[in-house]
């Protein structure tokens, strides 16, 4: 079942939580709604669930307009952030609950619930109460309860945020496995970029209620549509530098620094924002360097070495090869491949790269 | 702080407990024991506090007293009449108040007023409401073509009048407790139930009631005990009588009559003791039922 959202706007008293959102989620797709807190991603999920009614706009499940249908009649499954398992019911009864509401005969309901419990690998825990389960097990119960009535759409509201780091990794693979095994359309809310990029077919990045970028995960990383997308995706975060045009064509001067950098000729802004991902920077010699500065901080985490380089008033993070000996206080030269540099407009933050006509709308239409 | 108890620490603890214990012993524990013993006094000179004879005749006397039997029946009718109506009404009002209404604190105050008002004042107001000629209630019933009812002077209607007053009087307390219980239920459960396809009524049955069961349990125990002890409402509503033709004579009222009006201390104590046993049995039954139906989180 395709899910189509058309110009949906949700206003609360004084704030616009979701602003004219349009997208289509295709059957069997797993889409994540990504963004900082307060960006409207959870509200969007609530709108899809029917727990909120939009101020304007329409939501279609397949061909059916469900905008004004209540949550209890939409036949969707939802997993809540804190799981919201009924504390007074056993695991089995929790999973059976949606079937009981559909008046499925008890025997059949029990069989289906058991089948679902086995799918999420908690078949041996069905007689326990939710309070006696670990976080990961509760999560599985919540997924089983959401899937037992065979919904057409599965909604997950920050499903992993209450789990510890290791379990989070396990459960996110588990959610992906279950989603693909059942073949259900799933929408997933998260503020964690890694979660979003790793398990979804498509990522929708939101900010202040507005959809910023809607693309496959790799593209979001490689071709951020604006400086917000560039800043939100990537860890450690992207470095932004401000550069001003000089007399000489193609030469830009770093603001707060006298360093001159060369940029492609098609750019003709007075001021420009440059984005350099730390993992794209590398140590090089003086002639090939884009930037030169002093190492002021150095830390090695596992396989990477992260350095902070001071270039007069600006600092830049770079992930470098740990085998190169370098110390705090050293002068270093940083280089980058030309096509790894991102250029942004200083006014509206949009990506200025030529030949990439991907404004948000074009991208969305591609999916629509 | 969790040291092993020593004589020294125990002694210190008792010292802290002493003020409260002293009051409890003098005004509660001692009278309870004394009245229990008193129920066995069969020949007693209360001027000189000399007991000539102990025995069980007080108990056989009251059990053979038609007035006592009547009091037990009246009390039972009263409990059955007041407790369920009071719990259902207050739960309904609490649920309504728990949904987002404007001026919640205003309504809370309004509903809590009966609880903090003196029973005597309340009974005086209600005796006006119940007045057969000028009363509001009869006036209201008149709209539906019902003839004036002699609420306070007809033995048939005095018990219903008492029940109405007591239900109204108990509402405030129950509503406040229910509201606190309702506000403790996480909203997520309702959202989850809604997504799971539960209608508003099913959400009430499957989420509200089970998660409210500890509160419900507390209120039902308190209400039943309080209803068994009913006295002051009767005294105030019927001007110091047990209603027309003893029609609202309850066990506590019986105890009062025997003790203060007839100076039969032995009989009064025996009746009080019987009431204690009845309440105790009811509470035991409730506790065992509670284990089965109450879900603590």
């Amino acid at each position: 079942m395709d899910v189509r959202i058309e110009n949906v706007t949700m206003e609360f008293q004084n704030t616009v939580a979701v602003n004219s959102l349009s997208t289509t989620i295709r059957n069997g797709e797993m889409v994540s709604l990504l963004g900082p807190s307060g960006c409207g991603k959870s509200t969007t999920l609530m709108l899809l669930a029917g727990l909120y009614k939009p101020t304007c706009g329409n939501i279609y499940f397949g061909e059916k307009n469900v905008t004004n249908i209540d949550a209890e009649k939409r036949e969707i499954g939802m997993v809540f952030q804190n799981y919201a398992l009924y504390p007074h019911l056993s695991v089995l009864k929790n999973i059976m609950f949606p079937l009981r509401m559909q008046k499925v005969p008890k025997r059949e309901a029990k069989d289906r619930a058991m089948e679902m419990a086995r799918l999420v690998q908690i078949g041996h825990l069905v007689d326990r109460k939710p309070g006696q389960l670990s976080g990961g097990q509760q999560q599985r119960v919540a997924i089983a309860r959401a899937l037992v009535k065979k919904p057409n759409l599965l909604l997950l509201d920050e499903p992993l945020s209450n789990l510890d780091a290791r379990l989070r990794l396990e459960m996110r693979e588990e959610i992906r496995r279950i989603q693909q095994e059942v073949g259900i359309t799933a929408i997933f809310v998260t503020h964690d970029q890694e979660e979003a990029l790793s398990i979804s077919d498509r990522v929708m990045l939101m900010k202040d209620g507005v959809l910023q970028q809607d693309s496959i995960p790799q593209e979001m990383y490689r071709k951020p549509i604006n400086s917000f997308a560039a800043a939100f995706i990537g860890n450690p975060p992207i470095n932004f530098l401000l550069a001003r045009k000089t007399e000489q064509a193609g030469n830009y001067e770093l603001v707060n620094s006298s360093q001159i950098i060369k940029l492609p000729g098609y750019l003709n802004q007075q001021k420009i924002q440059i984005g350099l991902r730390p993992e794209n920077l590398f140590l090089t010699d003086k002639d090939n360097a884009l930037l030169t500065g002093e190492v002021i901080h150095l830390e090695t985490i596992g396989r990477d070495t992260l350095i902070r380089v001071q270039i007069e008033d600006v600092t830049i993070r770079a992930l470098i090869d740990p085998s190169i000996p370098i110390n705090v206080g050293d002068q270093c030269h940083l280089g980058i491949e030309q096509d790894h540099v991102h250029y942004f407009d200083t006014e509206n933050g949009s990506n200025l790269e030529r030949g990439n006509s991907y404004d948000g709308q074009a991208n969305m239409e591609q999916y629509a | 702080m969790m040291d092993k108890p020593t004589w020294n620490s125990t002694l210190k603890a008792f010292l802290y407990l002493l003020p409260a214990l002293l009051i409890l012993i003098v005004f509660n524990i001692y009278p309870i024991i004394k009245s229990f013993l008193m129920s066995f006094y069969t020949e007693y000179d209360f001027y000189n506090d000399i007991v000539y004879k102990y025995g069980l005749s007080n108990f056989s006397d009251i059990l053979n007293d038609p007035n006592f039997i009547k009091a037990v029946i009246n009390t039972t009718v009263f409990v059955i009449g007041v407790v369920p109506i009071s719990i259902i009404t207050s739960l309904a009002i609490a649920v309504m108040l728990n949904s987002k209404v404007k001026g919640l604190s205003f309504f809370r105050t309004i509903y809590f007023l009966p609880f903090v008002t003196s029973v005597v004042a309340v009974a005086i107001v209600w005796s006006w409401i119940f007045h057969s000629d000028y009363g509001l209630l009869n006036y209201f019933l008149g709209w539906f073509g019902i003839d004036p009812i002699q609420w306070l002077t007809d033995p048939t209607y005095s018990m219903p009048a008492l029940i109405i007053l007591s239900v109204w009087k108990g509402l405030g307390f129950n509503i406040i407790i229910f509201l606190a219980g309702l506000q403790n239920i996480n909203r997520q459960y309702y959202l989850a139930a809604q997504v799971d396809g539960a209608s508003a009524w099913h959400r009430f049955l499957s989420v509200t009631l089970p998660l409210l069961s500890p509160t419900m349990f507390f209120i039902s125990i308190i209400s039943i005990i309080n209803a068994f002890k009913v006295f002051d409402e009767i005294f105030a509503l019927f001007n110091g009588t047990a209603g027309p033709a003893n029609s609202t004579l309850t066990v506590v009222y019986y105890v009062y009559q025997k003790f203060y009006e007839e100076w039969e201390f032995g009989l009064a104590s025996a009746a009080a003791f019987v009431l204690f046993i009845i309440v105790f049995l009811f509470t035991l039954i409730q506790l065992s039922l509670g284990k089965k139906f109450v879900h603590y989180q």
Side-chain angles (χ1 to χ4, degrees):
Chain A
M1 182 188 73
D2 289 0
V3 176
R4 198 161 89 244
I5 303 173
E6 267 183 16
N7 294 316
V8 164
T9 295
M10 180 72 197
E11 283 172 26
F12 294 107
Q13 271 120 18
N14 302 315
T15 52
V16 182
V18 176
N19 194 347
S20 191
L21 180 77
S22 296
T23 191
T24 300
I25 292 145
R26 285 176 307 177
N27 191 24
E29 237 184 348
M30 180 136 182
V31 173
S32 53
L33 284 166
L34 178 66
S37 55
C39 74
K41 55 191 193 299
S42 287
T43 309
T44 307
L45 203 73
M46 293 292 217
L47 286 166
L48 285 165
L51 295 170
Y52 291 159
K53 297 286 154 59
T55 315
C56 62
N58 288 301
I59 298 170
Y60 296 89
F61 286 180
E63 289 308 308
K64 193 172 163 202
N65 187 338
V66 296
T67 315
N68 289 314
I69 295 181
D70 285 331
E72 54 262 44
K73 304 223 169 72
R74 285 202 188 180
E75 295 177 352
I76 45 154
M78 186 158 174
V79 176
F80 290 83
Q81 183 170 355
N82 59 4
Y83 321 130
L85 300 175
Y86 309 119
H88 55 287
L89 299 179
S90 70
V91 166
L92 186 68
K93 291 205 167 130
N94 259 286
I95 303 176
M96 279 166 68
F97 185 83
L99 299 177
R100 255 181 51 211
M101 292 302 122
Q102 288 183 342
K103 307 216 161 53
V104 173
K106 204 169 175 188
R107 176 136 225 120
E108 190 198 331
K110 201 172 167 184
D111 290 345
R112 277 169 66 182
M114 277 309 295
E115 185 192 331
M116 206 37 82
R118 277 192 288 271
L119 174 76
V120 299
Q121 297 168 353
I122 46 155
H124 56 297
L125 300 171
V126 290
D127 293 326
R128 297 215 194 153
K129 290 274 173 71
Q132 299 167 303
L133 302 180
S134 71
Q137 290 166 337
Q138 291 187 30
Q139 173 72 278
R140 288 168 189 269
V141 178
I143 295 172
R145 185 181 64 181
L147 290 176
V148 74
K149 60 184 163 184
K150 300 195 166 52
N152 294 316
L153 179 64
L154 177 65
L155 304 173
L156 303 116
D157 186 7
E158 305 249 9
L160 303 173
S161 59
N162 283 5
L163 302 175
D164 62 59
R166 190 171 286 268
L167 203 54
R168 199 175 300 172
L169 201 71
E170 184 192 319
M171 279 313 293
R172 100 184 173 203
E173 285 160 7
E174 200 53 18
I175 288 175
R176 184 59 163 166
R177 172 185 75 83
I178 295 163
Q179 185 259 336
Q180 287 182 333
E181 213 169 305
V182 183
I184 191 173
T185 315
I187 300 169
F188 181 109
V189 161
T190 180
H191 60 267
D192 182 14
Q193 45 157 320
E194 206 188 308
E195 251 168 65
L197 298 181
S198 61
I199 67 167
S200 40
D201 296 309
R202 219 174 93 209
V203 180
M204 289 167 64
L205 182 65
M206 292 182 72
K207 182 200 174 195
D208 299 335
V210 180
L211 182 60
Q212 304 286 319
Q213 187 166 357
D214 184 349
S215 62
I216 59 169
Q218 268 310 306
E219 193 164 297
M220 182 145 311
Y221 173 77
R222 284 209 206 108
K223 297 174 181 173
I225 198 155
N226 55 23
S227 56
F228 172 76
F232 198 82
I233 307 288
N235 188 26
I238 195 166
N239 299 296
F240 284 121
L241 297 169
L242 215 55
R244 196 180 288 119
K245 198 171 155 186
T246 62
E247 322 262 283
Q248 210 177 344
N251 276 0
Y252 279 73
E253 184 186 34
L254 279 189
V255 172
N256 296 330
S257 160
S258 56
Q259 216 162 7
I260 302 287
I261 50 175
K262 260 192 157 335
L263 296 179
Y266 60 77
L267 294 168
N268 200 22
Q269 257 79 359
Q270 276 305 318
K271 264 165 107 186
I272 192 165
Q273 193 179 33
I274 305 169
L276 307 169
R277 293 213 184 268
E279 57 272 34
N280 294 142
L281 291 164
F282 51 82
L283 291 174
T284 180
D285 53 40
K286 197 171 179 187
D287 297 337
N288 296 317
L290 179 74
L291 303 156
T292 302
E294 184 194 334
V295 180
I296 55 163
H297 180 84
L298 184 145
E299 59 190 51
T300 304
I301 315 151
R303 59 194 164 85
D304 297 313
T305 295
L306 177 74
I307 56 170
R308 279 222 305 274
V309 179
Q310 182 91 36
I311 302 161
E312 304 206 1
D313 287 354
V314 271
T315 56
I316 284 193
R317 285 196 193 85
L319 279 177
I320 57 163
D321 184 351
S323 61
I324 300 171
I326 193 162
N327 292 308
V328 173
D330 291 355
Q331 281 289 312
C332 77
H333 307 288
L334 291 171
I336 192 165
E337 303 269 346
Q338 190 61 249
D339 53 347
H340 280 156
V341 185
H342 303 283
Y343 310 100
F344 302 102
D345 191 298
T346 50
E347 297 285 313
N348 57 20
S350 63
N351 197 325
L352 294 169
E353 236 160 326
R354 209 172 51 170
N356 289 318
S357 61
Y358 49 51
D359 55 296
Q361 209 52 45
N363 210 316
M364 278 180 258
E365 273 155 18
Q366 187 192 325
Y367 280 99
Chain B
M1 285 305 284
M2 292 303 286
D3 298 331
K4 275 195 175 160
T6 59
W7 282 111
N8 205 353
S9 68
T10 311
L11 204 70
K12 218 193 258 173
F14 268 111
L15 211 64
Y16 286 124
L17 291 171
L18 195 64
L21 271 182
L22 213 62
I23 292 170
L24 277 175
I25 288 170
V26 171
F27 293 104
N28 281 5
I29 316 271
Y30 171 73
I32 288 173
I33 295 168
K34 186 76 186 174
S35 74
F36 176 62
L37 293 176
M38 218 181 253
S39 63
F40 298 105
Y41 294 180
T42 47
E43 273 176 50
Y44 179 47
D45 174 4
F46 55 81
Y47 291 112
N48 304 312
D49 193 19
I50 302 165
V51 185
Y52 297 111
K53 211 173 153 194
Y54 292 92
L56 291 169
S57 66
N58 285 330
F59 289 96
S60 58
D61 281 358
I62 59 163
L63 291 177
N64 288 321
D65 180 354
N67 262 348
F68 182 73
I69 303 298
K70 188 175 183 184
V72 171
I73 293 171
N74 279 345
T75 310
T76 313
V77 169
F78 178 80
V79 170
I80 293 170
V82 166
V83 175
I85 297 177
S86 174
I87 287 181
I88 291 169
T89 321
S90 50
L91 180 59
I93 295 174
V95 167
M96 273 190 275
L97 284 182
N98 195 42
S99 58
K100 285 171 191 151
V101 283
K102 281 193 177 148
L104 177 62
S105 58
F106 170 75
F107 284 110
R108 261 199 290 230
T109 314
I110 293 272
Y111 284 112
F112 204 57
L113 269 179
F115 183 70
V116 293
T117 313
S118 141
V119 180
V120 176
V122 166
I124 288 170
V125 172
W126 275 89
S127 62
W128 272 105
I129 294 176
F130 284 133
H131 195 279
S132 53
D133 296 331
Y134 313 111
L136 271 178
L137 190 58
N138 277 346
Y139 176 71
F140 179 71
L141 290 175
W143 291 354
F144 301 98
I146 297 169
D147 289 336
I149 291 169
Q150 311 273 334
W151 289 103
L152 299 180
T153 46
D154 184 337
T156 326
Y157 292 105
S158 55
M159 182 54 86
L162 178 66
I163 288 174
I164 291 171
L165 166 72
S166 303
V167 166
W168 178 83
K169 179 86 174 63
L171 279 184
F173 179 76
N174 292 356
I175 288 171
I176 295 289
I177 304 289
F178 272 133
L179 255 181
L182 286 171
Q183 276 162 5
N184 264 334
I185 300 177
N186 194 327
R187 197 174 143 255
Q188 292 266 357
Y189 296 130
Y190 291 105
L191 296 182
Q194 210 178 339
V195 170
D196 286 343
S199 61
W201 174 241
H202 273 118
R203 290 200 289 278
F204 178 76
L205 287 185
S206 309
V207 178
T208 311
L209 277 188
L211 295 184
L212 203 60
S213 58
T215 313
M216 184 74 86
F217 183 56
F218 171 76
I219 286 196
S220 64
I221 285 195
I222 296 282
S223 302
I224 288 188
I225 291 177
N226 272 340
F228 269 115
K229 293 193 320 192
V230 62
F231 169 76
D232 31 3
E233 284 88 343
I234 306 167
F235 192 87
L237 191 62
F238 299 102
N239 293 321
T241 70
N246 269 350
S247 55
T248 53
L249 180 70
T250 59
V251 178
V252 177
Y253 209 103
Y254 180 87
V255 171
Y256 170 81
Q257 281 184 341
K258 288 288 171 238
F259 200 98
Y260 290 98
E261 290 173 3
E262 298 170 20
W263 305 86
E264 294 278 5
F265 300 145
L267 289 178
S269 300
F273 187 68
V274 170
L275 178 66
F276 167 74
I277 295 291
I278 295 173
V279 172
F280 185 66
L281 284 178
F282 260 87
T283 309
L284 280 185
I285 293 169
Q286 278 185 291
L287 282 174
S288 69
L289 285 177
K291 281 206 185 90
K292 218 169 150 186
F293 295 109
V294 177
H295 307 282
Y296 293 99
Q297 293 191 37

